[in-house]
Every structure is written in C-alpha cells, then in structure tokens.
Amino acid sequence: MTATTPLIEARNLVRRYRTGATDVAALRGVSLTIMPGEFVAIVGASGSGKSTMLHLLGAVDAPDSGQVLLEGRDISQLSDADATRLRLLRIGLVFQRFYLMPTLSALENVELPMAEAGASTTVRRERAKSLLSFVGLGERTDHRPSQLSGGEQQRVAVARALANKPALLLADEPTGELDAATGAALIALLQQLNRDGLTCVLVTHDAALARSAQRVVTMRDGQIVSDERVAEPVA
Amino acid sequence: MRATLAFASLWRHPMRTLLAIFGLAIAAALLIDMVMLATGMRASFKSLLTSRGYELRVTPRGTLPFDTEATVGNAAALVASLRAHPDIERVSPSVGTTVQIASTRTTQSGSAFALGTQPDVQGEYSVLSGRAPSATDSTLREVIANTVLLARLQVSVGDTINVSVGRSAQLRLSEVAERAVIVGEARFLYVPPGLPAISAPLRAVQSLLGEAGRDRISLAMASIRADSGGAAATSARTEAVRTWIEQTHARVTAISTETAIVQVEERLAYFRQLALILGALSLVIGVLLVTTLVSLSVNERLGELAVLRAIGVARSGILHQIMLEGLMLGFAGIAIGLGLGLITARWLNAILRDFPGLPADLDFFVWSPEAAWKSLAMLLVAATLAGAWPAWRASKVRVAQALREEAIG
Ligand SMILES: Nc1ncnc2c1ncn2[C@@H]1O[C@H](COP(=O)(O)OP(=O)(O)OP(=O)(O)O)[C@@H](O)[C@H]1O
Ligand SMILES: [Mg+2]
C-alpha cells in the first residue's frame, strides 16, 4: 500500500430505513475518501445521517447500495463473521455512552477484544495495563465502570478501542456525555493518537471538537454538503 | 473472560438467580427421586428375593407366595421330588397361617402370622438373638418371634406363650392352645412392617393346623446348583427346572425370581409411570425456569450484547456466553438438587416402607450411581437446551439497530 491509497473510501452510499409505510433515506449517495493519518470530524444537524455513515464505515451495518473500501478492500458486503473479524482487528469503536461491560473491571474491559482475538492472558494483561497507563488510568485498572467518572470511562473505552491496534478509530460523539474540560482532555488524547499515526473519524455536535480536526465534513439530509480542510486545527 | 462475563451477569441479580437455582434444585431433586424410584424398586425387590439364594418359588397353582390362604397337599412327596432333581441344590418348604398368641406371663394376647419352615434350610428370616427353634420338633415346642410380637405381647426371649389356630379370640376359646418357648428373636424378610410373626418348624405348624395342615405347604423355595457357566447359563437352567416342575407337578406354579420381578414390576407399573411422568414434568419445569431466566437476562442486555458484537465478539462467542449462563445455573441447581433429592428420597422411602402388606425390607428409592448419572445427564442436556434458545436469539441481535436503541433509550 502506498501513501496515495485511501485508508477508507465510501462510494455512493445509500442507506434507507423502512418503518411501516414511510421510507427514510438516511444516506443518499454519500462518497468520502479518507487518507491514512487523517483526523476527520463529521458534523451536521441531528438526523442528518452521521451515525449511519459511521456504522457503514465501521462495518457495523451494510449499505443498500454503494461500497466501502477499507485499505482498498470492499467491506460493504462481507459475511457477518468476516465483518465481525474486521471490526475486531482493524476498527476501533468509541461510543457516546462509553458502553463498557458493567460487570468487568477497567482492565478486563480492555482485555476483552484481545481475548476475543486469541491473545494469551499474559500478553493481553500487559498490553491492557500499558494502554490504561497511556490513557492516564494506570492506577485504576481494577475499578468497575460504575466506580469511574464519565471521562475516565471514556478513556477506558478508548483504550479498549485501541486494544487490537486498529487501522481506524471511529467515534460517535465521544464527548457528548462529558463536560467541557473533560471533553477537551479526551480530544487531546485523540489528537495524540492521531499524531502517532492513527486515522480518526469522529462524529460530533461539539464545535470545539470539530475545530480540533484537520478536516470537517458537514452532512445535511443524508448528503455531504461541505468538506473543508482546517488550516490550523486547534490543539 | 467468557466465564467471568457469564458468572457476573448471573450475579448482577443475585436474588433472582438464587431463586431460579432453588427452583431448579427442586425440579432436579424431584427428577432424581423419580429416577431412583423407577429403577430402585426393581433393584430392591431383586436383592430381597435373591438374598437367600433361592431362585425358584413353588406355590399352589395360580397363586403368588403367601398371596392367598391356598396350600398344596402331598407336600412331602413334592419336596422329595424337587430335592431329587440334579440341578436343585436346596428346597425350603413352608406353610403360613394366622394364629392367636397369649403370653403366659403377661396378660397380653393377639393374632400373629405363623410361619412353618425347616430351620436348617429356611430363607425367610435371620436370627437377631437367641437361636432358631430345634429342627427336629414335630409338635410345637419352640418358636422364634419378630421384634413386633415381642413388643406387642411384652414378652422376651425365654418366655412361654400359648399358641392356637384361628382368626378370632372367640374361636380360640374352643381350641386347644399349644405351649411354646420363645427361643430367639428374628427379622422376617417378607413380613410387612408392624405385623407380629413367629416361626416354628414346618411339621410343628402343620400339626398345629390339624387336619387342615396335614402334609400341606404354602410355598417351597428351591435354589439352583451353581456351576461355572455364568449368569446366562444359570438363568437358562433355572428356566429349564421351572418348566420341569410345572410339567411334572400339575398342582403347582413355579416362579423364577426373574419372572417374579417382572410380575412385581407389572403390579407396580402404575408407580413407575407416575414416577416417569413426574420426572418428565420436573425436567420440563427445569427447562422452563432456565429459559425464562436466561431470556430475561438477555432481553435486559441486548444493548450490551450489541456492543460486544460491535467491538468484534463473534456470534458464536455470544452464543457460548449465554449458553454458559444456562449451564452455570444448571450446575448450581443440580448440585443442590442432588443433595435435596437424596434427603427427600430417604424421607419418602421411610413413609412408603410403612405401606401395609409389603415386606419391611423393600426399598422404593434406591441410590445407584446409574440412576444418578442418568438424572444428571438428563438435567445437563436439559439445561444446555434451555439456554440454547435465548442464546441463539442473543446471537442474532441486530447490532446497528440495538446500538441506536441503546443510544436513544
Ligand atoms: N433503525 C432506523 N429505523 C428508522 N429510521 C432510522 C433508523 N436509523 C436511523 N434512522 C433515521 O435515519 C436518519 C439518520 O439517522 P442518524 O442516526 O444517522 O442521524 P445522526 O446524524 O446520527 O443524528 P444524531 O445527531 O441525532 O445522532 C434519521 O432521520 C433517523 O430517524
Ligand atoms: Mg447519531
């Protein structure tokens, strides 16, 4: 792969939802190309199709038509097993509400994707510990999600997303449940990851978060209405 | 990790889980009891019938041992003929009747079952204390009595009693009572619990019966000579001897232990059927319990399961984890149920043993490793199947949809 191969590319994605008689087109022919190492923010009004787009990029959902190419390979028509494997190994997902397993400790939450990928106990424990230290939670490995603050939980979620060294980090409103200061700290963490080479795509309502991206994609009614490079992302 | 998750998710609602485990334990206990009941009676009856090594029972034609008052005449000739058969090792003839007994020391009296046997070959009782009556007596001189009789008449070994034939006290007055010494205390194998009983030599009881007892017996038990042929060969020889007896002596029926067990089983078929139905029901209840609980917990956690799927846990992983929950419930329920089952079996056995008309030594619930394995295997299969349905549903969770609902909800 050369530097000119997009990391992920959406081609003419269409996604409709049928609820009873009505037919909602959440995406109507969206195309987007993201190069390795980019930091992209997707913004737009509620209902404009941002989450739908992110799910398609992450092989969580499949489009009605169009393609998603990850590292040049079409991932839009994968079998469930292949899509699951791809999410496990190549994609890191971070959600607005953290979605940690409430019954597992922080450490176990980070270990979980590695266990699923077949890593040995010692290997995954070591890596989970170093990931938790990296996100600033080296001292709280044994805490359960309910014993952590929102910002701390989201850091655990980021560590979990990084567990299997993904090529792409997808985050849907990762600061949505956090106060401004905690949100800013999380953004700084994501920027650091991006500087270390990780491609990040995040959906946000948060203007501050959008300004910290290199590139801002705006959606409206299931389409991309603008795609701008930010001259000087706010650090 | 999967086991941790499964265990943790059960432990999230400890009360609910414990209640389900308890319910499962009750169902498991019932199943184990029913399997013990269904297989136990047979085993117990067999060991009871074969405990003294007599494989054949010869009775008046068309009757079961001591089932009626019927007797066969020309008993001495019959017994001699049996003893002459090369494959028959021992023959124990006996006659049973009801007698009235009065203590000469206390004022107590009452009716009892009197069994005439040949003390040297008898297979009807075992001596607890004292000794068996002298085998050579031809009139009533010595008896051995069971514990019930000793207690009821407030007599003990060494005491003298008056014995007379007859069903009622009025009749007894007109009869001449015979005097006998109690020389021992015995446990009677085939006498129902609570029934007073004595045994005396066969000829003594026959003479007590007068004309009605002359050369008559109620039962003759025969044992088959052992050889090196193994169980199948012995069984075949037993059957050959049985056929020979019935062909040679038209007045009698010969029943082998094997057929007796079959007949008893037929008589107890109702019991067994009931046991099977109750056992099956308890299995169904167990399955429903596990399915309900696991379904509940799956429904509550659809969002969580969708997250697991989203971050890359395979469908099979979800399937395993949820089935593991069912199995964990199953194991816990079965472990407790096993203990509970054994305790209740012992209790129910004690109740059923007091059932009138049955030998005191007959057990209904018999613990056997086979019964245990059978019920455990059935329960484990049931628990696995019970978890399978909710597990399958959980593995089919639509990830994007569930994530969205979780985000909104
Ligand atoms: N499962 C579904 N069934 C029906 N309609 C759906 C479904 N999922 C999404 N939609 C519709 O598709 C459109 C886009 O939804 P999407 O969640 O992608 O928007 P969004 O930009 O992420 O909004 P928000 O900022 O509120 O999260 C909306 O109109 C929504 O109602
Ligand atoms: Mg959204």
Side-chain angles (χ1 to χ4, degrees), chain A residues 50-51 172-173 203:
Chain A
K50 309 180 296 291
S51 295
D172 196 346
E173 312 217 18
V203 162

Side-chain angles (χ1 to χ4, degrees), chain A residues 45-52 55 96 172-173 203 205, chain B residues 404 407:
Chain A
S46 186
S48 56
K50 309 180 296 291
S51 295
T52 306
H55 285 164
Q96 177 172 352
D172 196 346
E173 312 217 18
V203 162
H205 275 131
Chain B
R404 186 184 171 75

Side-chain angles (χ1 to χ4, degrees), chain B residues 31-54:
Chain B
L31 179 71
I32 288 161
D33 282 356
M34 290 308 131
V35 172
M36 281 170 76
L37 182 62
T39 55
M41 276 185 298
R42 178 179 215 278
S44 168
F45 215 85
K46 182 166 184 173
S47 78
L48 183 63
L49 288 184
T50 52
S51 62
R52 291 307 167 89
Y54 288 107

Side-chain angles (χ1 to χ4, degrees), chain A residues 78-139:
Chain A
L78 293 179
S79 70
D80 180 80
D82 288 341
T84 307
R85 198 78 193 155
L86 182 97
R87 293 196 297 272
L88 179 67
L89 300 176
R90 304 303 292 150
I91 291 169
L93 285 172
V94 175
F95 308 91
Q96 177 172 352
R97 293 193 174 174
F98 331 132
Y99 293 157
L100 299 173
M101 292 301 118
T103 52
L104 297 182
S105 68
L107 191 73
E108 288 167 329
N109 263 291
V110 180
E111 279 184 60
L112 185 88
M114 293 186 268
E116 186 66 18
S120 75
T121 314
T122 42
V123 167
R124 66 185 200 227
R125 189 140 303 165
E126 272 318 298
R127 179 159 168 78
K129 275 184 190 155
S130 69
L131 281 170
L132 283 174
S133 323
F134 173 73
V135 300
L137 291 173
E139 308 297 308

